[in-house]
Amino acid sequence: SVHKDYVVREPEGSYRIVVSRGNAGTNWLASGNARGLKLTLRLYNPSQAVLDSVASVALPSISLIDKGRVAA
């Protein structure tokens, strides 16, 4: 898992988490030899705004990167 207190952010404040078999450096999550993968986003102690309207939460984008190319 990645904890908000330990994630390394990009200069503009965003962050990238890499899920892969091999060590990808900063913010890396090991996938092992998984053939399929399910990601789960958990919000611990969400703000009142999230509780009032969970549909208003901006979800992170997820991109498949295959051998250095981002798949559309």
Side-chain angles (χ1 to χ4, degrees):
S1 68
V2 176
H3 191 279
K4 70 177 182 72
D5 290 342
Y6 303 110
V7 70
V8 176
R9 294 190 178 269
E10 301 292 328
E12 81 284 352
S14 70
Y15 56 90
R16 177 185 300 235
I17 298 170
V18 177
V19 181
S20 67
R21 291 180 186 180
N23 187 332
T26 306
N27 300 337
W28 170 61
L29 292 176
S31 64
N33 291 325
R35 295 185 138 246
L37 186 66
K38 293 182 182 181
L39 299 176
T40 302
L41 175 66
R42 286 189 173 184
L43 301 175
Y44 293 98
N45 301 316
S47 67
Q48 190 61 47
V50 172
L51 295 174
D52 291 343
S53 178
V54 71
S56 69
V57 175
L59 297 176
S61 62
I62 299 173
S63 301
L64 174 64
I65 302 173
D66 183 25
K67 296 181 182 178
R69 297 180 318 238
V70 175

